Amino acid sequence: MPITVLVSRGAIRYMVKEYMISILILEGLLIGVFVVMDILIFYIVYEASVLPMYIIIGVWGKRVERVRAAYYLLLYTVVGSIMFLVGIIGLYIATGITDNGALGEIGYKG
């Protein structure tokens, strides 16, 4: 993310404070995506990270199609996320847990 801030320093000319806030929120959520060990919380944090990306693309995109690109991002992410949520629910129904470490131990029969 520091590279993103350095590269965009000259390109972002309006609402710079809001842009930096969006980048920091996105960075925090992406760190959360890679740190969390529960699949359900992973899903929630991942979905929360879509909102700052949507805002960044929709507000500070360079081309005329930036709003359409933001809608496509949201659409494709939601479609994939619904399937992922169905898988998480099915996994929870089958095992009764959503902890990634415990699920790994259940799957290992060595």
Side-chain angles (χ1 to χ4, degrees):
M1 285 294 181
I3 295 172
T4 304
V5 172
L6 288 174
V7 169
S8 65
R9 188 173 59 185
I12 304 300
R13 302 198 191 287
Y14 62 95
M15 296 178 19
V16 176
K17 183 174 82 172
E18 289 83 0
Y19 176 77
M20 293 299 168
I21 289 170
S22 297
I23 289 289
L24 286 173
I25 290 171
L26 179 61
E27 182 178 6
L29 289 169
L30 288 177
I31 289 171
V33 164
F34 290 106
V35 169
V36 74
M37 287 297 293
D38 189 85
I39 295 176
L40 187 60
I41 297 174
F42 169 82
Y43 176 79
I44 292 169
V45 173
Y46 174 76
E47 285 302 312
S49 70
V50 172
L51 183 62
M53 283 191 287
Y54 176 77
I55 292 170
I56 289 169
I57 292 170
V59 174
W60 292 283
K62 285 292 183 185
R63 298 189 178 182
V64 180
E65 300 92 13
R66 65 181 180 216
V67 174
R68 191 169 78 186
Y71 285 135
Y72 282 152
L73 170 80
L74 188 65
L75 177 71
Y76 294 144
T77 306
V78 166
V79 169
S81 295
I82 289 172
M83 291 185 280
F84 185 45
L85 182 61
V86 169
I88 291 172
I89 292 170
L91 195 61
Y92 180 74
I93 290 171
T95 61
I97 54 173
T98 58
D99 186 356
N100 198 17
L103 286 170
E105 291 175 5
I106 290 173
Y108 181 67
K109 303 290 184 195

